[in-house]
Amino acid sequence: MSATAAILRKHNAYSWVWVTVHNVEQAAYYLAQNPDQYMSMHIKDQAALAKFKASGLPYDRMIVYIGPEIKESNAEMYRFFNGKGVMCMISSAPTYDKLTKKEQRKEKYRAIFAQGASILESDLPMEVADAID
């Protein structure tokens, strides 16, 4: 982390480089280096959400990575973070992009957004665009 923070500082890259963090300790580290640092924060379950809430870290410097699957528990996290103005992301690359039938993938892409995600990371962006068009 310190090498990445040094590169960001050297190039004053805070306005165009986001870091991916996996826990509140990493998020706090980067924000201590520069309070303007943006990040993609992994918060995939209720335990991680509780830890984030207790941390006092700001909501306005992040997007939240929820995980790679549609789960009932995601809906609650989407509602919470969207209510705070935080965009939430799911990645279909390791899961739904691998479905063999295009119609199955299309159904999942639509369900991701219907559940509350605002960002979808996919290896098949043209299919996603077609599905949500």
Side-chain angles (χ1 to χ4, degrees):
M1 284 190 311
S2 61
T4 301
I7 292 168
L8 290 167
R9 189 171 35 259
K10 177 182 175 184
H11 297 286
N12 194 27
Y14 303 105
S15 63
W16 70 86
V17 175
W18 292 52
V19 293
T20 297
V21 295
H22 297 269
N23 55 53
V24 296
E25 293 82 14
Q26 291 174 352
Y29 173 84
Y30 281 109
L31 288 171
Q33 303 303 304
N34 186 313
D36 294 327
Q37 180 67 63
Y38 282 98
M39 62 194 78
S40 172
M41 177 122 184
H42 286 221
I43 302 179
K44 299 182 189 178
D45 56 36
Q46 293 302 311
L49 176 58
K51 193 168 184 181
F52 178 79
K53 286 179 179 179
S55 74
L57 291 170
Y59 292 94
D60 66 345
R61 311 303 310 156
M62 63 190 277
I63 62 171
V64 174
Y65 174 64
I66 300 292
E69 297 176 281
I70 299 167
K71 298 187 293 188
E72 189 64 37
S73 60
N74 290 359
E76 181 183 335
M77 298 226 303
Y78 291 136
R79 278 191 299 277
F80 175 79
F81 282 112
N82 290 335
K84 298 285 188 187
V86 177
M87 296 175 74
C88 298
M89 178 179 82
I90 189 170
S91 175
S92 62
T95 53
Y96 308 123
D97 285 0
K98 296 187 182 320
L99 293 171
T100 57
K101 293 188 169 58
K102 185 176 182 177
E103 194 56 43
Q104 291 174 317
R105 293 189 299 271
K106 188 175 188 177
E107 182 181 314
K108 293 296 185 182
Y109 300 148
R110 288 180 176 163
I112 288 167
F113 289 111
Q115 192 179 50
S118 39
I119 302 169
L120 171 59
E121 176 197 36
S122 171
D123 289 337
L124 306 171
M126 300 304 287
E127 280 193 33
V128 173
D130 181 52
I132 63 172
D133 189 22

